[in-house]
Amino acid sequence: MLTNEKWFEFWKLRRDHVPNITIATSLGISRQAVSKALLAIDGKIETVLRTMAKANKISIVKINPQLGILIGRSIPMDTDAVIFISGKHGVQVWYEHDGDCGTCEEYTECIELLWSYADELKIPLSQTADPTKMAEELFAKVKEMA
């Protein structure tokens, strides 16, 4: 029997473009078991993304459970928003904004999160020390993928 944790690992491998047959062979299970697990996890991921959008009052523009990405618009903040699922950072909500990054207490955490998420998706980023600019670049590329 496959655990939810194993399903999530399958999902991350597929997001990394590893074919189902390769996943199945490496784990000694059938390709059908991998496919079934991926269908189940896609449904769970879509539910999580939709729930987070509703909780944060974000209207959905585009959703891609295979990549774990929801593109939307924050109704109360009147700004674009991205909800994404990271293998390392869990579910994250990012609002488009012009931050004053130099004075923000979250500066280091933002930089690390953005680099880490870009690395997970294998998205190259220009070297910059400004989280706002990094986020603009990253999420423009994410929107193209979704």
Side-chain angles (χ1 to χ4, degrees):
M1 179 168 167
L2 298 173
T3 64
N4 287 344
E5 185 176 308
K6 185 69 73 178
W7 286 0
F8 190 66
E9 289 302 316
F10 291 170
W11 177 80
K12 288 191 305 186
L13 288 168
R14 191 223 7 230
R15 187 178 65 176
D16 290 341
H17 307 291
V18 176
N20 289 6
I21 190 68
T22 304
I23 297 168
T25 301
S26 69
L27 297 171
I29 60 175
S30 72
R31 188 171 46 95
Q32 291 80 7
V34 172
S35 294
K36 186 176 178 180
L38 287 171
L39 285 173
I41 194 68
D42 283 348
K44 291 177 182 196
I45 285 176
E46 183 167 347
T47 298
V48 167
L49 291 169
R50 288 183 182 278
T51 300
M52 287 297 291
K54 185 175 182 178
N56 289 281
K57 295 180 177 36
I58 296 172
S59 64
I60 299 169
V61 173
K62 196 176 208 181
I63 188 167
N64 184 326
Q66 289 82 20
L67 291 175
I69 298 169
L70 182 145
I71 309 295
R73 183 123 185 115
S74 168
I75 297 164
M77 294 183 190
D78 193 31
T79 190
D80 289 342
V82 177
I83 302 173
F84 60 95
I85 298 177
S86 160
K88 184 175 180 181
H89 303 282
V91 181
Q92 298 288 319
V93 181
W94 193 277
Y95 298 98
E96 190 173 291
H97 65 284
D98 289 324
D100 184 9
C101 298
T103 62
C104 181
E105 293 178 13
E106 301 292 319
Y107 175 86
T108 303
E109 290 81 4
C110 285
I111 292 271
E112 289 173 359
L113 172 73
L114 292 166
W115 277 117
S116 176
Y117 187 58
D119 186 54
E120 278 186 46
L121 293 178
K122 312 228 180 335
I123 295 175
L125 293 178
S126 302
Q127 296 269 344
T128 180
D130 183 347
T132 299
K133 299 254 185 268
M134 288 175 67
E136 287 172 2
E137 179 183 1
L138 175 60
F139 293 122
K141 292 176 179 180
V142 166
K143 288 176 183 178
E144 290 174 10
M145 293 170 63

